Amino acid sequence: LTVLRLAARLIEERHGVHYTMDNIPYDEGHVGPDPEKDPRALFDMLGRGQVAGVFQVEGAGMRRLMLEMKPRRFDHIIAAISLYRPGPMENIPEYIRRMHAAIYEHEDIVEYHTPELKPILQDTYGILVYQEQIIRIAAELAGYEPGDADMIRKAVSKKKKDLMDQHRKKFTRGAMDRGFTRDVCDAIWKDIEFFARYGFNKSHASDYAKVTGQTAFLKAHYPVEYMTALLSVERHNTDKIRRYFAEAKSLNIAIAPPDVNRSRIDFAIEDSPNGSTIRFGLGAIKNAGEGAIQLILDERQANGPFASLQDLCERVDLRRVGKRALEYMIKARALLEWGTTAQLLDGLERIISYSGRENEAAASGQMSLFGGEMGAKAGVQVE
């Protein structure tokens, strides 16, 4: 949700389009604040396996499922989230086979134990997936009250054999009273007994799937803003940063290294005639510490970019920034315009020492009558 909010803010700043959790499309036919952004693009992207940073589906297993399934509607995502668990997973190949037949071949190959199951199971191509489906089957085919019908799921999930036997008899009796044969009752009960162990709550899965669709929509239509938000939120997670760098590269989005004069705390977008680049955030530099970095950023915001390494030393007391933070900023190439990494690391002690002397002198008011500092400046250089 934080990624969505940050991405929406960047989109509004750059494109003037206001997205919220209430208006980001997540299904075909939904229209967002920009009618030209087609929600079908999110399903195309999921089908290509470009799932890094997309809620619920960025793991290797779910990526493989998206590649095989190639979802085309919101209810396909709901089903994928519900089926990808021990037990129901064994029905994924059959779900995909039936789904593809219906969508791409316009052929209904689903066989139901009885036609009365079709209105209940047709959304999942005849496969029992959701707790709500179990409740409907018990209520509509065997005469259960909805509240009592959910007791079947509870009995099976808790492996209460005596209670399961009671419900089997009650279900069979109620269904046969409505004209169903014992064979049909036994077949339906077998499905119920298996899926009640794992049955997922559809309303719960739908909430998750909505966020899946919305994150996919923003990534599909606003990849630079979305990846920038994602990198900023995950900036302390090195493994995810590497993964999202690779994803940005696959989306032809350039990542620029950190720069003491250009970077912010978070990752940021820089535009040029050649396109948009994501600038590495100083806050993502390992072991640098945001407090130390903020000292530099506050000075830069107040008085402009640093003209040189000497200018940085004189305007910011680098003793307060700290040797460790400076070391990792240098290793991350944030000061590269003023020397190579090896040169800057070799001169690190001298840099901090010079900065300390200059800031002590300024603090104690060691100025000449005409406003200049007393004594000649030796300056700071790296070799």
Side-chain angles (χ1 to χ4, degrees):
L1 298 180
T2 304
V3 172
L4 282 174
R5 283 194 293 269
L6 180 52
R9 193 188 79 198
L10 290 170
I11 291 165
E12 186 167 16
E13 288 174 357
R14 290 168 52 77
H15 304 286
V17 182
H18 181 61
Y19 283 102
T20 70
M21 286 294 295
D22 295 324
N23 68 13
I24 301 173
Y26 55 89
D27 197 5
E28 187 175 1
H30 287 202
V31 179
D34 185 348
E36 294 185 3
K37 303 298 185 184
D38 191 342
R40 286 177 294 185
L42 78 88
F43 297 106
D44 293 337
M45 187 186 73
L46 293 176
R48 293 193 300 270
Q50 292 178 327
V51 296
V54 178
F55 183 65
Q56 285 286 294
V57 297
E58 65 175 328
M62 284 298 286
R63 179 179 182 273
R64 187 165 56 251
L65 174 53
M66 291 293 103
L67 281 166
E68 293 172 357
M69 177 185 281
K70 300 194 181 306
R72 300 311 306 162
R73 300 196 305 262
F74 179 56
D75 61 288
H76 295 156
I77 300 175
I78 303 173
I81 290 171
S82 302
L83 287 169
Y84 193 74
R85 293 172 301 116
M89 285 182 74
E90 66 185 59
N91 278 287
I92 288 176
E94 182 62 18
Y95 177 95
I96 293 174
R97 186 179 77 88
R98 297 178 183 184
M99 171 197 149
H100 285 185
I103 290 176
Y104 300 114
E105 300 169 21
H106 305 290
E107 182 181 353
D108 186 357
I109 62 173
V110 179
E111 295 182 1
Y112 299 93
H113 297 309
T114 176
E116 284 78 5
L117 284 174
K118 185 172 182 177
I120 300 172
L121 299 179
Q122 63 182 346
D123 287 347
T124 51
Y125 306 103
I127 296 172
L128 193 55
V129 177
Y130 308 119
Q131 293 173 0
E132 290 90 338
Q133 291 173 320
I134 295 172
I135 293 171
R136 282 190 64 189
I137 290 171
E140 296 179 22
L141 274 64
Y144 273 72
E145 291 295 326
D148 292 336
D150 194 45
M151 297 303 293
I152 295 176
R153 177 190 60 80
K154 292 179 181 178
V156 176
S157 64
K158 294 180 181 179
K159 299 180 180 178
K160 294 185 177 181
K161 189 175 185 308
D162 292 343
L163 199 53
M164 287 162 56
D165 290 340
Q166 291 176 27
H167 278 292
R168 177 170 189 159
K169 293 174 183 176
K170 180 178 178 180
F171 176 87
T172 302
R173 185 170 59 249
M176 290 182 69
D177 286 346
R178 283 162 174 74
F180 297 101
T181 66
R182 180 173 289 277
D183 286 345
V184 167
C185 293
D186 288 346
I188 295 173
W189 181 261
K190 184 179 178 181
D191 289 344
I192 289 176
E193 196 171 42
F194 177 77
F195 282 100
R197 301 175 198 165
Y198 312 101
F200 211 66
N201 184 289
K202 185 179 182 181
S203 59
H204 180 74
S206 298
D207 285 342
Y208 276 69
K210 178 183 176 182
V211 181
T212 301
Q214 290 183 321
T215 53
F217 176 88
L218 293 188
K219 183 182 175 185
H221 284 294
Y222 303 94
V224 174
E225 290 81 5
Y226 188 78
M227 294 306 298
T228 301
L230 195 63
L231 287 163
S232 292
V233 171
E234 299 291 355
R235 65 177 185 259
H236 298 304
N237 188 324
T238 305
D239 289 339
K240 285 192 174 183
I241 290 293
R242 288 197 193 99
R243 188 188 315 159
Y244 298 149
F245 274 10
E247 183 74 355
K249 184 177 180 180
S250 74
L251 297 171
N252 296 316
I253 300 171
I255 306 286
D259 187 297
V260 72
N261 271 329
R262 296 180 178 86
S263 294
R264 306 176 189 175
I265 279 284
D266 288 336
F267 286 77
I269 302 168
E270 296 179 358
D271 293 312
S272 73
N274 297 323
S276 298
T277 298
I278 299 177
R279 174 68 66 177
F280 198 102
L282 293 177
I285 298 176
K286 190 176 180 181
N287 296 320
E290 291 187 14
I293 288 170
Q294 197 61 52
L295 291 171
I296 296 173
L297 294 182
D298 288 345
E299 171 58 30
R300 192 183 81 192
Q301 183 175 4
N303 297 302
F306 303 102
S308 63
L309 179 59
Q310 182 169 320
D311 189 35
L312 172 67
C313 291
E314 293 169 359
R315 288 166 54 185
V316 180
D317 189 344
L318 297 182
R319 294 173 303 178
R320 294 178 62 201
V321 173
K323 180 179 178 181
R324 182 179 174 84
L326 282 171
E327 177 186 347
Y328 279 89
M329 287 178 67
I330 291 169
K331 288 179 177 179
R333 301 189 295 166
L335 281 66
L336 199 59
E337 65 178 296
W338 299 323
T340 67
T341 300
Q343 288 172 329
L344 291 165
L345 287 175
D346 184 62
L348 185 57
E349 294 284 358
R350 296 194 304 277
I351 292 169
I352 295 174
S353 176
Y354 173 79
S355 178
R357 290 197 308 272
E358 289 298 309
N359 281 273
E360 277 184 1
S364 61
Q366 292 182 15
M367 310 293 287
S368 73
L369 182 63
F370 301 103
E373 293 183 15
M374 293 178 64
K377 280 188 180 179
V380 60
Q381 295 180 346
V382 292
E383 299 176 359

